[in-house]
């Protein structure tokens, strides 16, 4: 059965659309709102939804124009239904429902987190069961992914997500938003000092995470060394320029990154020990683009003699292709949603409320 699937992602500050057919990506478009939100040092929900509203129809038009396909050919419309910012999700859902009404395509609401985990399927096969570490701006979770649509959560962050810790640390340093990638790049110009910050929440027996204490440790260090905070930038500087001007900063960034990566690695290794049935180690979400995490996970996978499945950096952060890929999986399994599909805000579990449709 050949299905053409339109994927729509508007859960936070990226507007993403993609077309997939037969497990193959036909075309995708992505528009980041980074520049708009960086003026405020973080995502402003009202601005995010307005920008999705402005950009989504334009991106969909361009998607069809460039792919040479027609919207009437679409069999499945897959849309991120949460967790995310409510206003932003509603823009995507409204657009998806309108498209379904006008074309007769099948509607599928996609769990944004499951879509992150399945993003790697766009580049190859995931050997199941997979031990999945999901590290994004809003979530840090460990899963046993028994099959593409069966994910058992093993652990989660009790407070901040790893990406949030990166972004908040960057904000304390006055680095431009989103700061995760700046901290990553600056870390490359320095060496981590293992005594500078603690490895948070590892002296316990479970698989949960906590990053708020590490954030406090960084705040205390900066209070004692106020010279480490940068002046506010008008334009986005290159990390190298910052490193040259502020030689003390790379060590702080590398030490912070090391602490986050150590905590993630220790808990992931523990989860693997408890689930020897895992046939692969899967890492997903925006922070999976981090270079120190990628090399730590590659080392862990090698030690455990498991294949490491990690999307290329462009597929780690939010995008429409991962929504289309997960939507196709659901459609092929015979699922659909009806027009009463609801968006789910961050903090609420995503219900498994699909209907059987052929
Ligand atoms: O998955 P994602 O695009 O959005 C959410 O679903 O949250 O993840 C965004 C997060 C942000 O916190 C961003 O700073 C972080 O991923 N991030 C990184 C890197 N690239 C993106 N963190 C560390 N190093 C990176 N290279
Ligand atoms: Zn995401």
């Amino acid at each position: 059965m050949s299905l053409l699937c339109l994927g729509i992602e508007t859960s936070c500050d990226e507007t993403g659309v993609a077309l997939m057919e037969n497990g193959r990506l036909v075309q995708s478009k992505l528009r980041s709102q980074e520049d708009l939100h960086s003026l405020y040092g973080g995502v402003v929900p009202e601005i995010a939804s307005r920008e999705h509203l402005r950009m989504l129809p334009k991106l969909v038009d361009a998607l069809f124009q460039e792919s040479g396909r027609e919207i009437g050919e679409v069999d499945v419309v897959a849309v991120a239904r949460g967790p995310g910012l409510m206003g932003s999700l509603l823009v995507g859902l409204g657009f998806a429902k309108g498209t379904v009404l006008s074309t007769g395509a099948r509607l599928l609401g996609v769990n944004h987190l499951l879509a992150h985990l399945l993003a790697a399927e766009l580049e190859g096969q995931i050997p199941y069961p997979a031990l999945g570490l999901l590290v994004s701006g809003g979530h840090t979770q460990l899963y046993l992914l028994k099959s593409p649509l069966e994910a058992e959560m093993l652990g989660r962050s009790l407070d901040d997500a790893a990406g949030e810790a990166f972004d908040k640390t960057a904000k304390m340093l006055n680095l431009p938003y989103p700061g995760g990638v700046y901290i990553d790049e600056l870390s490359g110009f320095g060496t981590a000092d293992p005594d500078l910050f603690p490895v948070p929440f590892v002296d316990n027996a479970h698989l949960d995470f906590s990053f708020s204490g590490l954030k406090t440790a960084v705040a205390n260090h900066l209070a004692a060394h106020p010279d480490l905070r940068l002046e506010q930038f008008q334009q986005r500087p290159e990390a190298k320029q910052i490193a040259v001007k502020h030689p003390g900063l790379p060590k702080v960034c590398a030490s912070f990154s090391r602490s986050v990566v150590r905590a993630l690695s220790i808990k992931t290794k523990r989860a693997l020990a408890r689930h020897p049935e895992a046939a692969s180690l899967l890492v997903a979400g925006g922070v999976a683009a981090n270079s120190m995490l990628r090399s730590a996970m590659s080392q862990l996978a090698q030690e455990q003699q498991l294949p490491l499945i990690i999307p290329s950096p462009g597929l780690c952060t939010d995008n429409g292709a991962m929504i289309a890929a997960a939507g196709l999986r659901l459609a092929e399994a015979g699922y659909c949603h009806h027009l009463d599909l609801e968006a789910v805000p961050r903090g609420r579990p995503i219900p498994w409320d699909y209907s059987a449709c052929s």
Side-chain angles (χ1 to χ4, degrees):
M1 174 178 49
S2 161
L3 295 173
L4 183 65
C5 177
L6 167 65
I8 301 175
E9 160 61 40
T10 63
S11 64
C12 191
D13 61 344
E14 322 273 349
T15 319
V17 294
L19 267 182
M20 274 194 78
E21 191 172 38
N22 286 336
R24 196 180 60 83
L25 186 64
V26 177
Q27 186 74 256
S28 67
K29 296 252 135 213
L30 186 70
R31 161 78 175 208
S32 170
Q33 304 176 0
E34 255 170 44
D35 288 352
L36 291 173
H37 299 293
S38 71
L39 294 171
Y40 304 92
V43 178
V44 182
E46 172 70 14
I47 294 178
S49 23
R50 282 173 189 242
E51 193 60 12
H52 287 307
L53 199 58
R54 196 174 75 81
M55 285 312 299
L56 186 53
K58 294 187 189 187
L59 289 180
V60 170
D61 277 353
L63 184 75
F64 283 102
Q65 221 162 53
E66 288 173 27
S67 64
R69 308 298 292 259
E70 299 282 334
I71 200 154
E73 293 175 61
V74 168
D75 302 292
V76 178
V77 178
V79 59
R81 58 95 57 108
L85 298 172
M86 203 56 180
S88 293
L89 290 168
L90 288 174
V91 173
L93 248 69
F95 191 94
K97 288 180 184 180
T99 307
V100 163
L101 265 176
S102 64
T103 60
R106 193 194 303 189
L107 177 65
L108 271 164
V110 171
N111 178 340
H112 176 90
L113 304 178
L114 183 67
H116 268 304
L117 289 166
L118 296 184
E121 287 201 325
L122 284 152
E123 295 176 323
Q125 286 197 339
I126 301 175
Y128 293 99
L131 197 292
L133 172 67
L134 170 65
V135 267
S136 72
H139 296 83
T140 299
Q141 298 171 336
L142 276 166
Y143 286 94
L144 184 65
L145 209 59
K146 294 173 189 164
S147 72
L149 303 180
E150 250 184 307
E152 179 194 341
M153 200 202 288
L154 307 174
R156 79 228 186 276
S157 177
L158 304 176
D159 42 54
D160 292 358
E164 204 175 340
F166 267 99
D167 294 340
K168 285 180 178 165
T169 293
K171 196 169 178 178
M172 286 191 269
L173 289 166
N174 278 333
L175 288 167
Y177 172 85
V181 69
Y182 270 103
I183 295 201
D184 187 1
E185 287 170 10
L186 282 167
S187 300
F189 296 103
T191 308
D193 174 355
D195 298 321
L196 204 54
F197 301 124
V199 178
F201 208 59
V202 287
D203 296 326
N204 50 56
H206 48 71
L207 298 176
D208 292 333
F209 303 94
S210 164
F211 293 104
S212 63
L214 175 59
K215 196 177 61 187
T216 308
V218 175
N220 290 342
H221 185 72
L222 294 184
H225 304 275
D227 50 304
L228 285 169
R229 284 184 216 265
L230 309 180
E231 68 280 11
Q232 297 275 0
F233 288 98
Q234 294 304 319
Q235 287 179 336
R236 301 177 75 79
E238 296 276 322
K240 191 172 177 191
Q241 284 171 269
I242 302 176
V244 169
K245 225 170 142 198
H246 302 271
L249 210 55
K251 183 173 87 176
V252 173
C253 292
S255 308
F256 164 81
S257 305
R258 176 194 171 273
S259 288
V260 175
V261 169
R262 287 285 300 146
L264 294 171
S265 306
I266 288 169
K267 295 287 168 101
T268 306
K269 187 172 179 176
R270 189 177 295 167
L272 284 170
R274 290 184 192 175
H275 292 278
E277 70 273 33
S280 63
L281 172 58
L282 170 64
V283 187
V287 183
N290 182 269
S291 40
M292 212 184 271
L293 181 63
R294 291 175 88 88
S295 63
M297 287 294 142
S298 149
Q299 203 181 324
L300 178 60
Q302 224 166 25
E303 260 172 50
Q304 308 281 321
Q305 298 183 324
L306 287 174
L308 174 68
I309 311 293
I310 184 163
S312 45
L315 278 178
C316 289
T317 42
D318 291 349
N319 63 85
M322 68 182 194
I323 304 297
L328 259 187
R329 276 283 188 187
L330 288 157
E332 283 160 3
Y335 294 117
C336 72
H337 273 123
H338 299 297
L339 289 174
D340 58 357
L341 170 69
E342 287 184 344
V344 181
R346 203 178 135 184
R348 284 218 336 246
I350 307 282
W352 188 267
D353 54 2
Y354 298 100
S355 300
C357 305
S358 51

